[in-house]
Amino acid sequence: MRVVKPSWVRSKEPLFSCDVHPDGKKFATGGQGEGTGRITIWLLAPVARHKAEKSTFKKSIATLEHHQGCVNCVRWSTSGKYLGSASDDKVVMIWGAVRYEGSDCESYKCLHILRGHDGDVLDLAWSNDDCYLASSSIDNSVIVWNCRNFPDKLTTIKGHNGMVKGVVWDPIGRYLATQSTDKTLRVWRMSDWQEEAKICDPFSKCGGTTTVLRIGWSPDGQYIVSSHAMNNEGPVAKIIEREDWKARMDFVGHRRAIESVRFNPHLFYYNKIPVSCVAIAGRDSSISVWLTALKRPLFVLHDVFTSSVLDMSWTPDGYGLVVCSLDGSLAYIELSAAEIGKTLSPHQTASLRRSLYGSLNNQEKLTIIENPDLLEDDKEENGGEESSSSDSEEPMDTSDEFSTEASSKSRESSAQPLHKHNGFSSPNNGGFPSAFPGLNGHKKDENILNSIPSKLSLRFEKPSTSSAPIPSTSNNLASKQVETTTKDGRRRIMPITLKEVPVATPSPAQPAKRVLLTPVSNSGAPSNQKVKSITLAPVEVKSNAISLGDIPVKLSNRLRPAGKTSSATSSFKQQPESKDKLFAVISGCKVEVDNLQNFVNFTEGSRSWKTVLYSRATCLSAGDKYLMIGCQDGTIHVYDKQGVLAFPVLNLGCSILRSAVNDNYVAAVTTSPALAIWNVPEKRNVLKDESLSSFMSENRSICSLEITKEGNVTIGLSNKTSYCYSYSLSAWMLIGHHQLDSNWYKELQTNKQQSSSSQILSPILISHANTPDSASVAAANNDKLHLNTVLMLEQQILVAENLKSFSECRLWLSSLVRYMTMQQEEDRLHALLQRLLSSPDNTLFGEDKLTVLKELLKIVSTNVNCQRIYSDFKQQVEWVESKR
């Protein structure tokens, strides 16, 4: 360990705050200037290395004195792009680096001034993804600012009854913690900005003697460490556990109130276990550094400062600590891997977090924004969704896109450790333990993360009790099994041969068949006996479970007894629904079909008339011009809006199962099953007897039939699969499938808001997505579902193009790019944009090609992990546009 206290950093006025830049090359200090607040940005190398100190002539980069009051806190954003400063002048300033032409010097400019507090602003904290900035003030409030659209306020939290002197974000991205002079530490949910927990007991005897109350949150998300707390009338830093927000442990040793806590951003391997490292300082002018695997501090520094230590900041590599004091001086503490261990790699840290909390895609990787234009386009893309008019505005969703938190218990269950053991976390899969293994003070409950779905669910069917058993053999087969023991002590049961099983006398007209028999246990699970094949006569068997002696047996689905044909070759016919009355409305005229008397009643205002049918009606459809009735005897009746027969009565040979009408076209599906379409004004057939037998089975049926004004017909099946008929291809095009990612349904809802009457695909897909079965299947998200979703989005574009529905082509193209951007499919996204850009046509789906590409790039800009694709194609689009 090495301690350096540079004399040239010393100020005549107090230093209230310090923070090291994420690149590790500079740091900022904030405090009191000559009549104003002062921020100074220093080079770190002259402080950390003696040689650099001697060789560097100018050790500070910039001095900023725009604040009208003392600067209480300075914090770099996670990306390092911005510097935030909080002051007694009630404002927060956002600074950015600028470089002027012809100069290598770095200057800083105030980009935004955030106004909203009614008193001194004491503390700042950027969220890990740089989406939010939280500021706390003596006006008892905390303001969460929208970093994507400064100076918009996202929300104002007003739950404290005293000055809020400390604020910190949950590194997992679920909560915000604050500490106040009202003797409470509170945890707020980011989902609705409501209070999750209120911790009072450790602070009930604390006095309001501290300047600040800077709190820390461990990088594994497991613990919050508070500032000024009391235990047996002695000052401590309380450890608050994420599991139940209880304070059972503390850091003891400081003689006066603790004012600042700062966790190292890294986890370390210490004695082969991952641990956290935390620095604690207070009014006794001392600094203690703790490893959470140890019960005593790693070291304690005294006599470095003559007054309170107000702030600390770790270097990005985790081995340096910058400390500032109220006496105006600054110190640098350098540690080594031999003292605190080796840092965990980002991949190892991500694995640890996954083992504790499940998938945290938005927390596993922090990307520095390389292109400043990306932020501008991102603001435009999200501008319509953000508003600064209300303090209660909901935040942007940065969690797993697809979970809905209904209560505080369910919210926290998604952020609890997978397994607890002996007082600290240990993943079930043999991953990392918690970073607090040395502070075991109690026994915790066994908790399993219930929000992570199981990857595999097994279900065994019990043998049917209603099946008629085949007569058993005369001898008990089970009693003849021979048990042996191998040399290594394992038990083995020798299988017996089933030579002859009397089941029934085969019919002379039909030969006997070979059938597989699978022995099962009484619970329905397969037994250890080998599968045997026997000769089975083609007799009628009502169940696929039989009894062979005392051994329960199931028939394999590979071959079935006579009378049970495979669904693939089944002649199953879907039967139409039978209702006594059917109703419809056409152009204000009410239509009632009375199946009891075979009448059709028309009512329009005070006028009414009726007509007769030859058979019971099975379906009724109405459009703007025509009404169609399908009957059990296979006839169809088409009437105009005056109730006059507009088309010859046709007999299709089978009962009518479904019908559809739109503008000039009518369609009918028979139970054969077959589809036919007609143009009514032209009195001609458009599609004749298109077979639908491949869609029909015992477990699958036609549940919807729709036709567009252009005569394009779509059918929906009961298994949540949809098809649209292509006249040019003379085949059915797949437009919806039940094995899709849950994000698919979000795209449908997005398209629903932009839908129009001319759309063909979106309405029928949305009707299927709203069903419970579809939603439950979509919840099982895995790689296969993801690939199916990409495939189906690409399919929608081609189908819409085949149907000449160009507005839907552009709609589904945007959905495809949005989905790829969200899933970070960079290679596939690059290939898609390159294909569109290299197209020889100047138009794309009826719109200017460059206009479409610009809209797509706005979508790409919403994910900073795809920023290089955005920058590359934006330059290409601008170049092509300049050549026009």
Side-chain angles (χ1 to χ4, degrees):
M1 182 182 70
R2 187 170 67 94
V3 180
V4 178
K5 193 174 182 183
S7 59
W8 42 268
V9 179
R10 186 174 181 86
S11 170
K12 296 179 181 179
E13 303 294 337
L15 288 180
F16 283 87
S17 183
C18 61
D19 200 48
V20 179
H21 192 276
D23 65 6
K25 296 179 180 179
K26 54 195 170 188
F27 67 95
T29 59
Q32 182 67 48
E34 296 180 1
T36 62
R38 176 178 295 170
I39 302 169
T40 307
I41 300 175
W42 308 84
L43 291 173
L44 183 61
V47 178
R49 295 190 296 274
H50 184 64
K51 290 183 179 180
E53 181 181 10
K54 288 185 176 181
S55 61
T56 304
F57 174 73
K58 189 176 181 180
K59 300 178 178 62
S60 65
I61 299 175
T63 300
L64 313 173
E65 295 184 333
H66 288 54
H67 278 289
Q68 300 303 309
C70 177
V71 176
N72 298 314
C73 184
V74 288
R75 290 290 183 265
W76 295 100
S77 63
T78 306
S79 64
K81 183 178 179 66
Y82 300 112
L83 173 67
S85 60
S87 170
D88 286 349
D89 59 8
K90 307 178 185 179
V91 301
V92 175
M93 290 188 178
I94 305 299
W95 307 82
V98 293
R99 291 183 182 274
Y100 297 99
E101 293 186 7
S103 174
D104 294 333
C105 298
E106 186 176 81
S107 302
Y108 283 81
K109 178 182 178 180
C110 181
L111 304 178
H112 305 282
I113 298 178
L114 311 182
R115 307 180 189 274
H117 286 293
D118 297 327
D120 302 357
V121 187
L122 298 181
D123 202 14
L124 290 176
W126 297 82
S127 63
N128 278 3
D129 55 6
D130 278 349
C131 288
Y132 312 120
L133 172 66
S135 60
S136 63
S137 169
I138 65 172
D139 63 4
N140 304 352
S141 70
V142 176
I143 296 180
V144 179
W145 306 90
N146 183 0
C147 300
R148 297 197 175 193
N149 194 25
F150 284 128
D152 286 355
K153 285 193 295 185
L154 203 60
T155 188
T156 300
I157 302 173
K158 297 182 178 180
H160 282 289
N161 299 318
M163 295 181 288
V164 185
K165 294 186 175 182
V167 60
V168 66
W169 290 97
D170 172 18
I172 308 303
R174 306 280 170 81
Y175 302 105
L176 174 71
T178 58
Q179 188 169 351
S180 167
T181 56
D182 63 1
K183 302 181 181 181
T184 66
L185 186 150
R186 306 189 190 214
V187 181
W188 312 89
R189 294 187 296 269
M190 292 175 61
S191 59
D192 55 8
W193 304 111
Q194 299 301 308
E195 186 178 288
E196 171 74 12
K198 177 180 175 182
I199 300 95
C200 303
D201 292 344
F203 317 106
S204 59
K205 296 182 181 180
C206 296
T209 58
T210 57
T211 305
V212 290
L213 293 170
R214 307 196 197 277
I215 55 179
W217 205 315
S218 63
D220 62 353
Q222 292 279 66
Y223 300 90
I224 302 172
V225 175
S226 75
S227 291
H228 187 29
M230 299 293 287
N231 187 359
N232 292 329
E233 300 184 356
V236 297
K238 273 292 180 180
I239 302 171
I240 299 164
E241 301 170 49
R242 185 193 192 99
E243 181 184 10
D244 53 9
W245 309 117
K246 298 294 184 182
R248 300 181 178 89
M249 300 174 288
D250 46 34
F251 292 110
V252 183
H254 284 271
R255 296 187 298 272
R256 299 184 67 183
I258 292 170
E259 291 191 294
S260 181
V261 174
R262 197 74 179 261
F263 268 95
N264 194 303
H266 294 279
L267 294 174
F268 296 85
Y269 272 124
Y270 187 83
N271 291 338
K272 300 182 179 180
I273 60 173
V275 298
S276 291
C277 180
V278 61
I280 299 174
R283 298 189 65 196
D284 59 359
S285 308
S286 65
I287 306 134
S288 62
V289 173
W290 302 71
L291 290 181
T292 52
L294 305 176
K295 294 184 179 181
R296 295 182 179 275
L298 185 67
F299 64 84
V300 179
L301 291 180
H302 296 284
D303 304 325
V304 177
F305 302 103
T306 60
S307 188
S308 301
V309 178
L310 296 182
D311 203 4
M312 299 173 288
S313 179
W314 292 92
T315 56
D317 62 2
Y319 293 107
L321 180 66
V322 176
V323 187
C324 69
S325 171
L326 196 63
D327 63 12
S329 64
L330 179 139
Y332 175 78
I333 304 170
E334 183 179 319
L335 304 173
S336 65
E339 292 170 317
I340 60 175
K342 183 180 178 182
T343 59
L344 270 68
S345 67
H347 175 72
Q348 291 170 324
T349 303
S351 298
L352 170 61
R353 289 181 175 178
R354 279 195 300 268
S355 69
L356 293 173
Y357 309 104
S359 177
L360 294 168
N361 293 332
N362 63 318
Q363 297 294 329
E364 290 174 4
K365 181 179 179 181
L366 295 174
T367 304
I368 297 177
I369 300 177
E370 302 170 1
N371 190 339
D373 294 338
L374 188 67
L375 285 178
E376 299 302 322
D377 279 7
D378 193 32
K379 290 178 185 177
E380 294 178 9
E381 178 69 13
N382 297 284
E385 300 173 3
E386 297 171 346
S387 173
S388 60
S389 60
S390 173
D391 289 345
S392 60
E393 179 183 350
E394 289 297 327
M396 174 174 29
D397 183 11
T398 60
S399 61
D400 285 339
E401 22 277 40
F402 320 119
S403 63
T404 301
E405 300 174 345
S407 64
S408 61
K409 181 176 180 180
S410 63
R411 290 185 184 96
E412 181 57 14
S413 66
S414 62
Q416 291 296 337
L418 292 181
H419 185 63
K420 297 284 183 177
H421 182 65
N422 292 339
F424 60 90
S425 306
S426 59
N428 295 341
N429 58 2
F432 299 101
S434 166
F436 273 81
L439 298 176
N440 310 338
H442 61 285
K443 182 178 180 181
K444 302 181 181 177
D445 297 333
E446 297 286 321
N447 272 328
I448 302 298
L449 182 62
N450 55 15
S451 64
I452 300 179
S454 173
K455 293 184 179 179
L456 181 64
S457 59
L458 303 178
R459 182 181 64 184
F460 297 107
E461 298 179 356
K462 294 183 179 180
S464 174
T465 57
S466 60
S467 59
I470 297 177
S472 61
T473 54
S474 56
N475 297 322
N476 190 335
L477 298 178
S479 64
K480 292 185 177 183
Q481 295 176 347
V482 179
E483 180 178 326
T484 60
T485 302
T486 61
K487 294 181 180 180
D488 57 0
R490 298 181 180 179
R491 299 172 59 201
R492 290 289 183 268
I493 298 178
M494 301 299 294
I496 60 173
T497 303
L498 306 179
K499 294 182 179 180
E500 294 183 0
V501 180
V503 291
T505 304
S507 171
Q510 297 180 349
K513 297 181 179 180
R514 302 289 290 177
V515 179
L516 293 176
L517 297 178
T518 305
V520 297
S521 66
N522 292 330
S523 63
S527 72
N528 293 327
Q529 298 185 38
K530 293 184 178 180
V531 175
K532 292 295 179 179
S533 61
I534 64 169
T535 302
L536 182 65
V539 296
E540 186 73 18
V541 179
K542 296 184 178 180
S543 174
N544 67 335
I546 64 175
S547 177
L548 187 60
D550 292 338
I551 307 175
V553 176
K554 278 189 177 179
L555 294 180
S556 169
N557 288 328
R558 290 173 59 184
L559 287 175
R560 295 176 181 268
K564 287 283 183 179
T565 58
S566 172
S567 60
T569 59
S570 173
S571 60
F572 171 78
K573 290 185 177 181
Q574 181 180 347
Q575 297 302 319
E577 298 179 359
S578 178
K579 296 182 179 180
D580 292 339
K581 290 188 178 182
L582 302 174
F583 301 92
V585 177
I586 174 174
S587 297
C589 179
K590 298 179 180 179
V591 182
E592 177 187 353
V593 178
D594 187 350
N595 276 328
L596 298 178
Q597 301 180 9
N598 290 348
F599 285 147
V600 182
N601 301 311
F602 296 85
T603 304
E604 184 176 14
S606 59
R607 299 185 304 115
S608 63
W609 63 97
K610 65 175 61 176
T611 185
V612 68
L613 297 176
Y614 303 123
S615 176
R616 288 178 62 87
T618 56
C619 55
L620 172 64
S621 300
D624 295 334
K625 297 180 179 179
Y626 300 104
L627 172 81
M628 181 177 181
I629 303 175
C631 296
Q632 199 169 23
D633 62 356
T635 59
I636 60 170
H637 303 252
V638 181
Y639 299 91
D640 61 17
K641 55 186 176 182
Q642 283 79 30
V644 178
L645 198 64
F647 200 75
V649 178
L650 304 180
N651 192 310
L652 305 185
C654 297
S655 296
I656 308 302
L657 181 64
R658 294 278 187 272
S659 62
V661 179
N662 198 338
D663 199 54
N664 295 330
Y665 293 92
V666 296
V669 173
T670 64
T671 56
S672 55
L675 169 69
I677 304 173
W678 297 270
N679 186 305
V680 178
E682 297 178 8
K683 304 292 191 297
R684 68 179 176 88
N685 177 258
V686 178
L687 185 66
K688 180 182 179 182
D689 293 338
E690 176 66 25
S691 175
L692 304 177
S693 58
S694 61
F695 299 142
M696 308 288 282
S697 69
E698 295 180 5
N699 300 321
R700 185 173 60 182
S701 59
I702 297 174
C703 63
S704 68
L705 174 69
E706 297 184 26
I707 192 169
T708 67
K709 292 182 178 181
E710 295 78 18
N712 297 300
V713 66
T714 58
I715 63 170
L717 305 182
S718 58
N719 67 344
K720 319 307 173 208
T721 306
S722 307
Y723 294 88
C724 181
Y725 189 79
S726 171
Y727 294 102
S728 60
L729 301 176
S730 299
W732 290 96
M733 298 182 294
L734 179 68
I735 62 173
H737 199 273
H738 62 280
Q739 291 186 349
L740 297 173
D741 191 342
S742 57
N743 286 296
W744 164 263
Y745 299 99
K746 290 188 177 182
E747 291 300 331
L748 288 178
Q749 297 305 323
T750 301
N751 292 353
K752 182 179 181 180
Q753 297 172 1
Q754 307 174 28
S755 62
S756 64
S757 57
S758 63
Q759 289 190 357
I760 302 170
L761 307 179
S762 300
I764 192 169
L765 290 171
I766 291 170
S767 65
H768 281 253
N770 287 336
T771 59
D773 290 344
S774 184
S776 63
V777 173
N781 187 11
N782 53 34
D783 291 340
K784 183 177 180 181
L785 299 187
H786 164 67
L787 295 176
N788 280 336
T789 300
V790 174
L791 174 64
M792 287 308 303
L793 287 170
E794 293 174 339
Q795 172 77 352
Q796 304 313 306
I797 300 172
L798 298 175
V799 171
E801 185 179 18
N802 182 273
L803 300 176
K804 309 299 182 185
S805 180
F806 294 134
S807 63
E808 283 192 295
C809 288
R810 296 191 297 271
L811 196 65
W812 287 110
L813 178 61
S814 298
S815 296
L816 177 61
V817 172
R818 185 181 299 108
Y819 184 76
M820 288 182 177
T821 300
M822 182 174 55
Q823 298 295 325
Q824 300 180 27
E825 288 273 357
E826 296 185 44
D827 294 338
R828 193 190 292 264
L829 184 60
H830 188 283
L832 172 63
L833 294 175
Q834 188 63 51
R835 179 166 58 87
L836 296 177
L837 184 62
S838 60
S839 171
D841 298 329
N842 289 329
T843 59
L844 188 63
F845 303 137
E847 189 77 26
D848 180 70
K849 179 175 69 175
L850 296 185
T851 301
V852 174
L853 284 169
K854 287 179 181 178
E855 293 299 321
L856 298 179
L857 288 177
K858 285 184 179 180
I859 298 174
V860 176
S861 70
T862 59
N863 190 339
V864 295
N865 295 310
C866 301
Q867 60 179 298
R868 294 190 177 178
I869 294 179
Y870 167 84
S871 301
D872 183 17
F873 281 96
K874 185 177 181 181
Q875 292 176 5
Q876 294 186 52
V877 169
E878 291 175 349
W879 184 85
V880 173
E881 192 172 30
S882 66
K883 296 298 181 181
R884 282 190 172 182

